[in-house]
Amino acid sequence: SLDQLVRYMANCVVRNMTFLLNVTPDRHGVIPELEQKRLREMGAWMAKMGDAIYGTRGGPWQPVDRQYGYCYKGSTVFVHLLKDYPGNIFEIPSLEKLRVKKVYEVYTGKPLSFEGDSSVTIRDIDRTSSTADSVIAVVYDEAIRRVWGK
């Protein structure tokens, strides 16, 4: 299902792995209709979530199996909240001297309210628009790599 593919993708991204989605044509060289449908669905999902996938690195914190994980790029940490994560509130640990400038939902682009400036609590996360993997972007005032060093 699309949800399974999205979970596989999210688990690879937060663990700094590569995801290979392979389909096999039938004996006539035709990709079966169901596989075509899944590829189109995954492509549509990636069109909205690509910023939280392409060019990212796993981290800066370790993932929690079946719950959530992190990846980052530039000055943004992406939080992947998987389907089994309960609730619509999430707390981001501190990244030393970095300060959070803004927080938004990647799938919808909607800004999210948050409390704190280093360690932040994010509230009212929409868990319905991308149920298998709700992704939150946390934008800091400088690049993650400069402070975290990896």
Side-chain angles (χ1 to χ4, degrees), residues 25-75:
D26 65 17
R27 64 188 177 127
H28 303 290
V30 176
I31 296 175
E33 191 61 41
L34 179 59
E35 291 178 10
Q36 289 181 40
K37 179 182 179 196
R38 291 294 177 259
L39 289 172
R40 283 190 290 277
E41 291 170 341
M42 191 68 176
W45 185 84
M46 289 292 292
K48 292 188 176 213
M49 299 295 237
D51 197 38
I53 305 291
Y54 299 118
T56 62
R57 302 286 297 168
W61 304 284
Q62 292 296 315
V64 175
D65 286 340
R66 305 185 71 119
Q67 298 282 312
Y68 58 87
Y70 309 91
C71 63
Y72 69 96
K73 174 171 51 177
S75 62

Side-chain angles (χ1 to χ4, degrees), residues 65-120:
D65 286 340
R66 305 185 71 119
Q67 298 282 312
Y68 58 87
Y70 309 91
C71 63
Y72 69 96
K73 174 171 51 177
S75 62
T76 305
V77 170
F78 298 97
V79 183
H80 292 259
L81 299 175
L82 301 175
K83 195 173 195 168
D84 296 336
Y85 179 79
N88 62 353
I89 298 172
F90 192 80
E91 188 169 327
I92 303 279
S94 173
L95 264 176
E96 300 173 12
K97 64 181 180 178
L98 294 184
R99 298 292 173 247
V100 175
K101 290 178 16 181
K102 71 177 182 176
V103 178
Y104 65 94
E105 293 174 332
V106 175
Y107 194 83
T108 63
K110 293 179 185 174
L112 290 169
S113 60
F114 63 94
E115 300 164 1
D117 62 352
S118 178
S119 172
V120 298

